[in-house]
Amino acid sequence: MLPNDRIAEYCRQAAEQIRWRRARPAVMWELEQHLQDQQETYIRQGYEQEQAARMAIEQMGDAREVGRALDRAHRPQTPWFPLIAVIVLLALGAALQVALTQQMMPLASYAVAAGLFALGYFGDISWLGKHAMELYLGALIIAAALLIGAEPVAGTAVFHLDPVSLYLCYMALLFPLVYGLFLYGMKGLGMRGILFSVLGYLPFALILWLVPTLSGLLIYSASAGVMLAAAIRKNWFGAKLGHPGLQIAAPVLLPVGALAVALLSVGGARLQVFLNPWQDAADAGLIYCRLRDVVAKAAFWGEGNADLSMIPDLSENYALLYGIQEFGLGAFAGLMLLVLAFGAFCIIGAMRQRSMLGTLLVLAAALTVTLQAFVYAYANLGYGLWDTLSFPFLSRGNTALQLDALLLGLMLGAMRTGAWIGDPKQPQRTVRFLRIER
């Protein structure tokens, strides 16, 4: 048996003891690297290659004993806090929507959302990394086609395919994840990778601006900027990145540029009404006045004395007002602290991921869901300058509910397996229009 075959056979025997099959390739690779390094050490000491391989294996110990020890160490790590938080929010959302609509129909949508969450949680996230650029291009083509075929409804684009109507503003929930996959495809390209990453951000930003959904544009841009900054900080693009100023400017450019576009798109008249809604309380400022009146009449704990019948689309656009009226501002503050703790916990967990793919997936989902919740909450208090998407799991909206569930399933799946699963070893396909060779 050749020395390398001897080492490979040893690693195979050790890996057979690991019950978590998804961890086996990574464990075999690491164990083989360690044995080869030790073999090289013995060769430098004057031993023959075959003898050096045998000595390295003997030093490691019995393959089955080593495998059983690795099995104890390489097991999925259940992220209990975010997992329980998601389950609680799903249950609260289902109960809230039944209470608001006085129907049992919302339970079917929540059952589908639970299934999508489980699919993401137990699925193999490495598949996304293997097809990162194809998924980016596919999402871009589909989004552009939907926008071309959509019709304007109440100031936003809606794609009708009977009996389904798809509000394109909700694509903003998916775009950060797809952009994260694009960043993953830029790994090792140095300064070119950063420049391509800025260019790769632009098509989805343009689509969201055309929809239009300014809150979606801001959520996507802020998430993209943080992910790009993380990629630069971890040096995934390579050591020779060019001028440090460009490294700082690139991720900051995305959210700042989007904010400038959003402010310019709002216009001065609407901004004036937002700042002082009582100057036009009978027209454009009416909804702001009503929302702030409900908040002003709320108790800190317990039921307030506001009239919610004057609030339109309560279950969809202002579901949190129901909670504020029924349970008080203290309950609302507790909910938002839970969301903030959830987001902070997941973002910290993202930076501890072993793989670039895991980091980007967790960041994309955590940032999207957290920012989505705070934009919605801010609007429910009567200070929403832009359109809102939804509050994760609590407000009505089937598309947002399903996308949020899938996103969080993928995020927690990455956190569950990320401690031991690295980036896919298979080279990604060549993307000719960027002239990338992997």
Side-chain angles (χ1 to χ4, degrees), residues 70-246:
L70 290 171
D71 175 62
R72 291 190 293 271
H74 292 73
R75 293 181 182 178
Q77 305 292 318
T78 303
W80 286 111
F81 167 61
L83 179 61
I84 292 173
V86 169
I87 293 173
V88 169
L89 282 175
L90 272 171
L92 284 176
L96 178 61
Q97 289 304 313
V98 169
L100 288 173
T101 61
Q102 298 296 309
Q103 297 178 2
M104 301 301 291
M105 286 297 294
L107 295 180
S109 296
Y110 280 87
V112 174
L116 288 173
F117 174 79
L119 177 65
Y121 185 70
F122 294 107
D124 184 4
I125 62 170
S126 65
W127 182 87
L128 298 176
K130 295 172 186 176
H131 304 279
M133 298 307 297
E134 292 95 328
L135 289 170
Y136 172 84
L137 291 173
L140 180 57
I141 292 170
I142 292 173
L146 289 174
L147 184 61
I148 292 172
E151 300 175 358
V153 176
T156 189
V158 180
F159 183 83
H160 296 286
L161 184 63
D162 290 334
V164 177
S165 294
L166 178 62
Y167 284 77
L168 301 191
C169 58
Y170 293 123
M171 294 191 299
L173 302 179
L174 194 60
F175 285 173
L177 174 67
V178 180
Y179 179 73
L181 295 177
F182 183 88
L183 288 179
Y184 182 72
M186 298 296 104
K187 185 177 182 180
L189 294 183
M191 197 60 202
R192 285 189 305 148
I194 296 178
L195 294 175
F196 286 144
S197 296
V198 173
L199 294 176
Y201 153 85
L202 294 175
F204 288 138
L206 178 61
I207 288 173
L208 294 176
W209 181 69
L210 292 174
V211 166
T213 168
L214 298 181
S215 62
L217 173 62
L218 292 173
I219 290 171
Y220 166 62
S221 302
S223 302
V226 172
M227 287 189 287
L228 180 55
I232 294 173
R233 180 179 179 274
K234 287 180 172 287
N235 199 27
W236 286 327
F237 294 109
K240 298 180 180 179
L241 295 177
H243 194 278
L246 294 176

Side-chain angles (χ1 to χ4, degrees), residues 17 25 45 66 127 190 213 216 292 329 384 397:
Q17 310 306 311
Q45 293 175 3
V66 170
W127 182 87
T213 168
R292 296 182 194 185
L329 289 168

Side-chain angles (χ1 to χ4, degrees), residues 257-277:
L259 180 60
V261 170
L263 289 173
L264 290 173
S265 300
V266 165
R270 183 176 174 184
L271 184 59
Q272 286 295 325
V273 172
F274 165 75
L275 294 174
N276 184 15

Side-chain angles (χ1 to χ4, degrees), residues 29 56 77 86 91 140 146 193 203 206 242 321 351 356 361 367:
W29 184 83
Q77 305 292 318
V86 169
L140 180 57
L146 289 174
L206 178 61
L321 275 186
M351 302 310 291
M356 178 181 179
L361 287 180
L367 289 165

Side-chain angles (χ1 to χ4, degrees), residues 281-306:
D283 192 9
L286 178 61
I287 187 61
Y288 293 119
C289 294
R290 287 180 176 177
L291 295 174
R292 296 182 194 185
D293 182 62
V294 171
V295 175
K297 293 180 179 179
F300 187 76
W301 292 112
E303 187 175 357
N305 58 2

Side-chain angles (χ1 to χ4, degrees), residues 319-402:
L320 292 186
L321 275 186
Y322 177 84
I324 291 174
Q325 169 67 14
E326 293 294 321
F327 306 107
L329 289 168
F332 169 77
L335 174 64
M336 298 315 299
L337 285 174
L338 173 64
V339 172
L340 183 62
F342 176 88
F345 181 90
C346 295
I347 290 170
I348 293 171
M351 302 310 291
R352 293 176 178 173
Q353 289 289 302
R354 181 182 178 189
S355 69
M356 178 181 179
L357 178 62
T359 298
L360 292 172
L361 287 180
V362 177
L363 275 179
L367 289 165
T368 299
V369 171
T370 304
L371 292 172
Q372 175 191 353
F374 273 90
V375 168
Y376 186 92
Y378 194 58
N380 274 228
L381 296 177
Y383 295 93
L385 184 57
W386 297 289
D387 61 298
T388 60
L389 296 178
S390 66
F391 192 97
F393 302 147
L394 296 188
S395 64
R396 183 167 61 88
N398 287 334
T399 304
L401 174 64
Q402 313 308 335

